[in-house]
C-alpha cells in the first residue's frame, strides 16, 4: 500500500496484472487520446483481463455517459459494459444529492454524461439561473458556449451552491493538449468569485464512487497525470502506476512532491504485464538496472547504460530522497538526456 512519503519507485517480482485484482484505469492519455487508442493499450489490457484482472475505467471526463464510453472501448476491441465505467459526473451527482432535497433542480453546465448522472440520482437538470436551482454544477463539454457559462456565473453570484465534476485544466486530444473543465471553472470563478466543491480525481468523492461501484479489494490506479490520478491514489492510500503516454513528462516526475509520486512508472500499459525492477541503494546513490543516479546538493547525475526507464527510476529515487521533497532540479534535463529521455 501507499506509504506516506515515497522515496523511490517500488519493485514487483510479479507482473502487476497478477499482483493486483483490479486496474482502475484513467482513459484520456492512458487508453486513448481523443478518438484514437494509444499504442499497446488494447493488447496489454486484453492480456491482463484474460489473466484474471478486472478492468474498470475511471475518468474525470464528465461529458459522455458510461454507456457511450463503454461503446467506444468495445469499438477498440476492449469488450466493456457501462458498469465498468466510473465518471466524475457520477461522483458529483452523488455529492450533490447528499446536500440538496430529493428531486431538486440543478443548473447543469455540461454534456449528456452529466445530465444522465444527475437523473440517476433523482435530480432535475435545468438550464437557466432563473429556474430556481438548488445547485449549479459544471462538467466538461466541448460544445459549451458563452451563454451557458454566463448562466453558471449568474447562479453562483446569487449564492447557489456550486459544484464541479473536476478541475483538470487540460485534456489530451489527437492534435495536442486542449483546455479542460478546470479552465472553464476558472472562467466562472473570475466572473462570480467563490470556489466549487469538486468531486473528481484527486478528491475523495471520486475514490469513494469508484470503490462503491467496483468493489475492488486490491486495486492499482493507472494514470498519466500526477495531480489527479496519482494524487487521487495517494489520497485513497492505494498503489499507482504512472504511464508516460499522456501529459506528465519525466522532468515533472523528478520534481514531484510526495503526494504526486507513483508506486511504479512505465512507458505505457505494457508495464502491467511485466515485473517492475527494484531500485536499490548504492552508497550515496541509487541503482536500477544498468544505471546509477545520485544527487549532490540540488544537482542530479546519472551514469551507466541500459533501459532508459531504469535510469528514470534511479533518478526518481535520487531526486525524491534529496531533502525529502523532490526539489532537486538542477541538471535534471542533462541527466534525462544522458539516459535518452
Amino acid at each position: 500500500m501507499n506509504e506516506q512519503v515515497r522515496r523511490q519507485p517500488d519493485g514487483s517480482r510479479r507482473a502487476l496484472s497478477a499482483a493486483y485484482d483490479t486496474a482502475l484505469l484513467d482513459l484520456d492519455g492512458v487508453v486513448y487520446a481523443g478518438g484514437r487508442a494509444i499504442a499497446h493499450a488494447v493488447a496489454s489490457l486484453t492480456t491482463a483481463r484474460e489473466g484474471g484482472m478486472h478492468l474498470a475505467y475511471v475518468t474525470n471526463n464528465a461529458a459522455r455517459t458510461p454507456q457511450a464510453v463503454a461503446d467506444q472501448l468495445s469499438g477498440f476491441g476492449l469488450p466493456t459494459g457501462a458498469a465498468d465505467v466510473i465518471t466524475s459526473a457520477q461522483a458529483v451527482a452523488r455529492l450533490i444529492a447528499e446536500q440538496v432535497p430529493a428531486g431538486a433542480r440543478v443548473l447543469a453546465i455540461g454534456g449528456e454524461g452529466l445530465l444522465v448522472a444527475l437523473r440517476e440520482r433523482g435530480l432535475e437538470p435545468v438550464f437557466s439561473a432563473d429556474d430556481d436551482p438548488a445547485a449549479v454544477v459544471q462538467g466538461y463539454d466541448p460544445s459549451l458556449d458563452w451563454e451557458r457559462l454566463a448562466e453558471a456565473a449568474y447562479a453562483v453570484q446569487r449564492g447557489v451552491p456550486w459544484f464541479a465534476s473536476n478541475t483538470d485544466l487540460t485534456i489530451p486530444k489527437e492534435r495536442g493538449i486542449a483546455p479542460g473543465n478546470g479552465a472553464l471553472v476558472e472562467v466562472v470563478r473570475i466572473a462570480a468569485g467563490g470556489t466549487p466543491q469538486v468531486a473528481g480525481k484527486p478528491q475523495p468523492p471520486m475514490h469513494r464512487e469508484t470503490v462503491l461501484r467496483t468493489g475492488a479489494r486490491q486495486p492499482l490506479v493507472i494514470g498519466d497525470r500526477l495531480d489527479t490520478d496519482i494524487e487521487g491514489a495517494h489520497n485513497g492510500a492505494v498503489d499507482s502506476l504512472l504511464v508516460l503516454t499522456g501529459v506528465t513528462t519525466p522532468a515533472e516526475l523528478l520534481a514531484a512532491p510526495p503526494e504526486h509520486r507513483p508506486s511504479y512508472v512505465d512507458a505505457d500499459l505494457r508495464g502491467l504485464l511485466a515485473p517492475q525492477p527494484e531500485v536499490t541503494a548504492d552508497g550515496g546513490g541509487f541503482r536500477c538496472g544498468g544505471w546509477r543516479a545520485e544527487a549532490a546538493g540540488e544537482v542530479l547525475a546519472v551514469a551507466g547504460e541500459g533501459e532508459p526507464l531504469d535510469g528514470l527510476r534511479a533518478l526518481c529515487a535520487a531526486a525524491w530522497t534529496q531533502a525529502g521533497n523532490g526539489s532537486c532540479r538542477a541538471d535534471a534535463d542533462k541527466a534525462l538526456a544522458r539516459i535518452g529521455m
Side-chain angles (χ1 to χ4, degrees):
M1 283 296 178
N2 207 326
E3 61 189 50
Q4 280 301 106
V5 179
R6 183 174 298 282
R7 306 285 189 185
Q8 63 190 54
D10 289 342
S12 175
R13 294 183 179 181
R14 302 168 65 197
L16 298 182
S17 58
Y20 297 88
D21 69 347
T22 305
L24 303 180
L25 291 135
D26 183 47
L27 288 171
D28 294 300
V30 175
V31 180
Y32 56 61
R36 185 188 69 239
I38 287 174
H40 311 296
V42 172
S44 299
L45 293 176
T46 298
T47 300
R49 186 185 62 242
E50 289 174 348
M53 190 177 216
H54 177 214
L55 306 181
Y57 301 93
V58 185
T59 177
N60 264 0
N61 189 330
R64 296 186 297 159
T65 65
Q67 187 60 60
V69 174
D71 290 344
Q72 181 182 14
L73 292 169
S74 296
F76 289 147
L78 290 169
T80 307
D84 297 319
V85 180
I86 301 93
T87 73
S88 63
Q90 294 171 321
V92 78
R94 187 187 298 270
L95 186 63
I96 295 169
E98 292 171 345
Q99 299 181 43
V100 302
R105 295 178 175 182
V106 177
L107 175 58
I109 312 299
E112 184 66 17
L114 183 60
L115 304 183
V116 168
L118 291 170
R119 293 179 181 126
E120 183 184 52
R121 292 288 155 207
L123 302 169
E124 179 185 351
V126 296
F127 305 100
S128 170
D130 296 332
D131 288 332
D132 193 28
V136 55
V137 59
Q138 285 184 257
Y140 176 73
D141 180 358
S143 68
L144 277 179
D145 57 24
W146 179 90
E147 290 184 355
R148 296 178 73 191
L149 291 171
E151 291 297 327
Y154 300 149
V156 173
Q157 290 168 33
R158 296 172 189 176
V160 177
W162 182 21
F163 298 81
S165 63
N166 67 295
T167 51
D168 297 15
L169 291 174
T170 61
I171 185 169
K173 292 292 186 181
E174 299 97 324
R175 296 170 60 193
I177 303 299
N181 192 56
L184 302 179
V185 169
E186 281 298 296
V187 171
V188 174
R189 185 191 63 78
I190 291 168
T195 303
Q197 294 185 53
V198 182
K201 297 178 285 187
Q203 303 303 321
M206 189 65 171
H207 182 71
R208 178 180 58 153
E209 192 73 22
T210 300
V211 170
L212 287 172
R213 290 180 180 267
T214 65
R217 289 191 284 182
Q218 193 170 9
L220 178 69
V221 170
I222 305 173
D224 70 308
R225 301 183 70 108
L226 300 179
D227 60 347
T228 56
D229 306 313
I230 305 308
E231 185 175 342
H234 176 88
N235 291 342
V238 298
D239 289 344
S240 59
L241 166 66
L242 176 77
V243 290
L244 299 174
T245 49
V247 302
T248 297
T249 66
E252 290 168 340
L253 179 61
L254 295 183
E259 66 274 16
H260 289 177
R261 297 172 185 170
S263 310
Y264 312 100
V265 58
D266 220 307
D268 52 54
L269 285 174
R270 288 176 294 180
L272 260 182
L273 307 178
Q276 292 287 310
E278 296 282 347
V279 178
T280 58
D282 181 24
F286 297 88
R287 185 174 294 279
C288 185
W291 298 98
R292 183 183 184 278
E294 64 180 3
E298 290 192 353
V299 177
L300 279 174
V302 64
E305 61 182 3
E307 290 293 328
L309 275 166
D310 288 341
L312 179 61
R313 295 177 181 113
L315 283 167
C316 283
W320 296 351
T321 301
Q322 176 67 28
N325 61 10
S327 64
C328 191
R329 295 171 182 265
D331 285 345
D333 289 343
K334 183 186 295 186
L336 289 169
R338 174 69 180 83
I339 65 173
M341 299 193 88

